[in-house]
């Protein structure tokens, strides 16, 4: 392992040999390169964030105020929408808390997308 990886190279996670970053399988030991797996995960996360960021903020906030579970559902947070619906939060503090939370989710998604 005397070689240092170049700009488009990484160490094999199994044998430690320097291999191309795009290599699916290490030519030395034949083990699948884990770098490609993380890049596909990163692409999926990027797609999810883009879906959130591309929503119209006004529509999300209006839905969050008047029909709070739909505010969460509209930005793709189905679990939060169901929780909000089944706990009757839309009658309690939902019209106050959900618009603030959905706005924060959208801001955080935008920040994370910018940092990728």
């Amino acid at each position: 392992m005397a070689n240092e990886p170049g700009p488009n190279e990484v160490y094999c996670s199994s044998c430690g040999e320097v291999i191309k970053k795009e290599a699916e399988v290490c030519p030395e030991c034949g083990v699948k390169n884990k770098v490609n797996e993380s890049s596909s995960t990163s692409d999926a996360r990027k797609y999810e964030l883009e879906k959130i960021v591309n929503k119209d903020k006004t529509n999300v906030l209006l839905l969050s105020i008047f029909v709070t579970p739909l505010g969460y559902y509209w930005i793709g947070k189905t679990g939060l929408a169901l929780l909000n619906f089944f706990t009757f939060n839309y009658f309690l503090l939902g019209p106050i808390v959900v618009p603030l939370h959905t706005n924060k989710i959208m801001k955080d998604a935008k920040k994370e997308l910018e940092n990728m």
Side-chain angles (χ1 to χ4, degrees), residues 20-38:
K20 294 287 185 189
K21 191 175 187 178
E22 298 83 24
E24 291 183 25
V25 176
C26 175
E28 293 296 318
C29 66
V31 173
K32 186 170 180 168
N33 186 1
K34 292 183 178 165
V35 175
N36 287 334
E37 292 173 8
S38 66

Side-chain angles (χ1 to χ4, degrees), residues 18-113:
V18 176
I19 60 172
K20 294 287 185 189
K21 191 175 187 178
E22 298 83 24
E24 291 183 25
V25 176
C26 175
E28 293 296 318
C29 66
V31 173
K32 186 170 180 168
N33 186 1
K34 292 183 178 165
V35 175
N36 287 334
E37 292 173 8
S38 66
S39 76
S40 67
T41 303
S42 169
D43 290 342
R45 180 69 178 151
K46 185 176 179 181
Y47 176 73
E48 180 184 328
L49 292 171
E50 286 173 348
K51 282 188 352 184
I52 294 172
V53 169
N54 290 333
K55 297 290 182 183
D56 182 40
K57 194 172 187 177
T58 306
N59 289 341
V60 172
L61 291 177
L62 287 173
L63 281 172
S64 297
I65 291 169
F66 295 112
V67 190
T68 59
L70 287 180
Y72 281 131
Y73 183 76
W74 190 255
I75 61 170
K77 301 296 181 184
T78 308
L80 287 172
L82 291 172
L83 179 68
N84 190 274
F85 180 77
F86 288 120
T87 59
F88 300 104
N89 192 36
Y90 47 91
F91 289 127
L92 304 171
L93 292 175
I96 297 167
V97 174
V98 175
L100 295 172
H101 191 217
T102 54
N103 188 35
K104 180 169 177 14
I105 290 170
M106 292 176 77
K107 281 183 181 180
D108 290 347
K110 186 175 183 180
K111 271 187 202 173
E112 188 176 338
L113 195 59

